[in-house]
Amino acid sequence: MDWRQFLPLVVLTCATLLSLEAMPAAASQTCGSSSITFGGCTGAQANASSVDVWGNRTTPGDSAPSGNGPSGSSAVPAGWWSAPEVPFSVVPQRENVINSYCDLVAYFGGNLCPVAPQPAPAPAPAAPVTLRDLASFVPEQPTLSLQPNGWTVIGVETNFIAGTSQHVVAGKLFGAVAEVRFTPQDFDWNYADGSSATTSTPGATWASLGVKEFSRTPTSHRFTSLGTFTPYVTVRFGVEYRVGGGAWIPVRGQVSASAPSSTVTVYSADTVLVTGACTPGRPAPGC
Amino acid sequence: MRKPTSRPRAAIATSIALAGALLVSVTGCAAAPTASPAGSAAPSATTPLFASDAEALAAATAAYSKYLEVSDQIARDGGANPERLKPYVSASLFQNEVATYTDVAARGLHATGATTFDTLHIQAVTANSVQVYACARADRIRVMNSAGVDVTPSDRASVVPLSLVWTQGDGTKLILDSSDRWTGVNFCR
């Protein structure tokens, strides 16, 4: 007996149990009376770095389109069968429907399904088909800028600024527009010198804050040792979603995105007395 | 001040915790811990909206009956005039319902029968909200197409565990703020 025949069963068991256990903690699935009657509850779940928005739809048995393209029939909304568009940073997926154990084995490459003779085509009405559409959304990547840029002096304030703002990422769910709104909430700064901090502000330049250079800011940091460091910032976004317009529905949890790290070299600075200006080419003694 | 939990809620939480622990221990599958239903409710520091759980439960039952009555009528009317639901639900839930009814109307569907519910349990009563667990039943409502053929989805859930939240509207009126499917262990029978 080939043990691999049982692999799908193990996978299915684990997947089922995982879905039972993992979903309730962060899932939000709006399910009003209309969805209970007609099917089609939508929901969203925040993962570590993305948001999944899903919905179910069932084609009515008699009015299910027979082709694989847009029907044009008034009974079938536009985009019902069309391949979902894939805008920037959106990865829609369509789940496979597995109805039996042999289907499951076939899905994993096995062959347990009995081979039946092909029946003659019959004009039987189309059976209802349930489709689940899932779109995954990721926030735009933030940026990190430093003042001064690329260098600093030990013990002097270095100003860190995260570049991000509230933004909406759109995708398609069964032809309808699904949108996720990301709102930056928390900023986790890792200065790469063993210290870190969390702020609720992205920071701002000294000029825009109206303060002198090298002033202390809510996001500034003093390096206390020499060397080259690669600090980075991770932004945690609050998430809301909506399908087909309407009000935004909050999603529990946060989604994170990190900016590419920057490199900063920390130098030392000593105060010395010199006899004149340290002009390049004609340095005074002590320069 | 009343406790935010009651015996049924504690029983549900215990069942979920035991079921989760058993599933993980038996299978060895890694999984995130399951949140207890009562864990999402915070006790209010001010006067609750209702003097007792019984009073809150009665109000929630009446409010949900009215909501289902109106929404079922819209479903029987093929999704026409969904604004009838507006006085009873929050703006976000209304938008969600309208999206479904618009789709239903475009597909030429309508419903026959009515939705029922049972197993209401108070989750929490705060100064301005009532949170309830409920089981909505769809086994007495069917979906028909324009030719009068029953096209009820074969895999439609006949019973749906829900977490319902009402907030205070004008006066003592309750507005259904959210109707979320409970995705944990099914407490409906």
Side-chain angles (χ1 to χ4, degrees):
Chain A
M1 181 177 292
D2 187 351
W3 64 271
R4 286 174 295 187
Q5 291 181 350
F6 296 97
L7 179 60
L9 192 59
V10 174
V11 171
L12 180 64
T13 303
C14 283
T16 302
L17 295 177
L18 281 173
S19 66
L20 280 174
E21 298 249 312
M23 291 289 287
S28 171
Q29 187 168 0
T30 300
C31 199
S33 173
S34 62
S35 301
I36 294 169
T37 300
F38 296 100
C41 298
T42 63
Q45 181 171 0
N47 304 309
S49 59
S50 66
V51 179
D52 290 339
V53 179
W54 69 84
N56 296 325
R57 259 193 176 166
T58 302
T59 61
D62 290 334
S63 59
S66 57
N68 196 29
S71 162
S73 163
S74 61
V76 181
W80 182 266
W81 288 98
S82 61
E85 296 174 18
V86 185
F88 174 72
S89 75
V90 176
V91 187
Q93 304 165 28
R94 181 147 293 160
E95 296 189 350
N96 292 287
V97 176
I98 296 174
N99 295 316
S100 68
Y101 178 63
C102 77
D103 286 345
L104 190 60
V105 173
Y107 179 75
F108 285 90
N111 183 18
L112 286 182
C113 301
V115 179
Q118 292 295 318
V129 176
T130 296
L131 299 176
R132 175 174 294 175
D133 209 356
L134 176 71
S136 189
F137 299 80
V138 296
E140 294 171 359
Q141 188 177 36
T143 59
L144 173 63
S145 56
L146 278 64
Q147 287 184 305
N149 185 18
W151 64 273
T152 189
V153 176
I154 196 166
V156 171
E157 297 288 348
T158 303
N159 195 21
F160 286 73
I161 303 128
T164 185
S165 59
Q166 184 184 70
H167 60 280
V168 174
V169 179
K172 294 272 187 176
L173 201 68
F174 286 118
V177 176
E179 298 170 290
V180 172
R181 183 163 67 182
F182 296 96
T183 304
Q185 292 179 332
D186 298 303
F187 301 83
D188 297 326
W189 307 92
N190 188 314
Y191 303 110
D193 63 349
S195 59
S196 60
T198 296
T199 67
S200 58
T201 173
T205 63
W206 284 312
S208 64
L209 291 172
V211 298
K212 290 182 180 179
E213 290 183 337
F214 306 106
S215 295
R216 183 180 176 84
T217 72
T219 58
S220 65
H221 175 67
R222 288 185 181 188
F223 288 93
T224 56
S225 55
L226 301 174
T228 298
F229 303 94
T230 53
Y232 63 91
V233 63
T234 299
V235 181
R236 285 183 276 148
F237 295 90
V239 182
E240 301 158 290
Y241 86 103
R242 65 182 179 184
V243 179
W248 292 101
I249 301 169
V251 179
R252 289 172 225 162
Q254 290 179 311
V255 169
S256 299
S258 295
S261 58
S262 296
T263 300
V264 57
T265 303
V266 180
Y267 299 99
S268 65
D270 294 321
T271 301
V272 296
L273 290 174
V274 296
T275 58
C278 291
T279 307
R282 299 178 61 188
C287 288
Chain B
M1 184 186 308
R2 264 177 301 115
K3 290 180 179 179
T5 60
S6 66
R7 183 180 297 273
R9 278 168 271 147
I12 292 171
T14 305
S15 301
I16 292 171
L18 287 174
L22 182 63
L23 289 172
V24 172
S25 62
V26 167
T27 64
C29 301
T34 304
S36 93
S40 57
S44 169
T46 55
T47 307
L49 191 54
F50 294 97
S52 67
D53 275 2
E55 197 178 305
L57 190 61
T61 302
Y64 197 53
S65 296
K66 186 63 181 175
Y67 162 73
L68 288 183
E69 178 188 327
V70 175
S71 58
D72 281 349
Q73 187 58 56
I74 297 170
R76 286 191 291 268
D77 293 342
N81 304 320
E83 64 277 4
R84 284 177 281 177
L85 204 54
K86 211 167 188 176
Y88 306 100
V89 298
S90 65
S92 61
L93 184 55
F94 177 70
Q95 292 293 339
N96 200 289
E97 297 283 81
V98 165
T100 303
Y101 287 130
T102 302
D103 181 52
V104 164
R107 293 158 64 191
L109 304 177
H110 69 279
T112 61
T115 312
T116 59
F117 67 97
D118 55 39
T119 321
L120 258 66
H121 290 296
I122 292 289
Q123 179 184 355
V125 181
T126 69
N128 54 9
S129 72
V130 179
Q131 300 173 41
V132 169
Y133 296 115
C135 299
R137 298 187 181 277
D139 48 5
R140 293 182 184 174
I141 190 164
R142 309 296 296 175
V143 180
M144 319 295 282
N145 68 8
S146 56
V149 176
D150 189 335
V151 292
T152 305
S154 58
D155 61 348
R156 186 187 68 178
S158 60
V159 57
V160 181
L162 295 170
S163 175
L164 308 169
V165 179
W166 280 275
T167 55
Q168 189 173 18
D170 297 333
T172 56
K173 185 179 177 184
L174 292 178
I175 300 294
L176 185 57
D177 187 64
S178 64
S179 174
D180 290 348
R181 183 178 187 134
W182 177 250
T183 52
V185 174
N186 189 348
F187 52 82
C188 299
R189 296 185 178 181

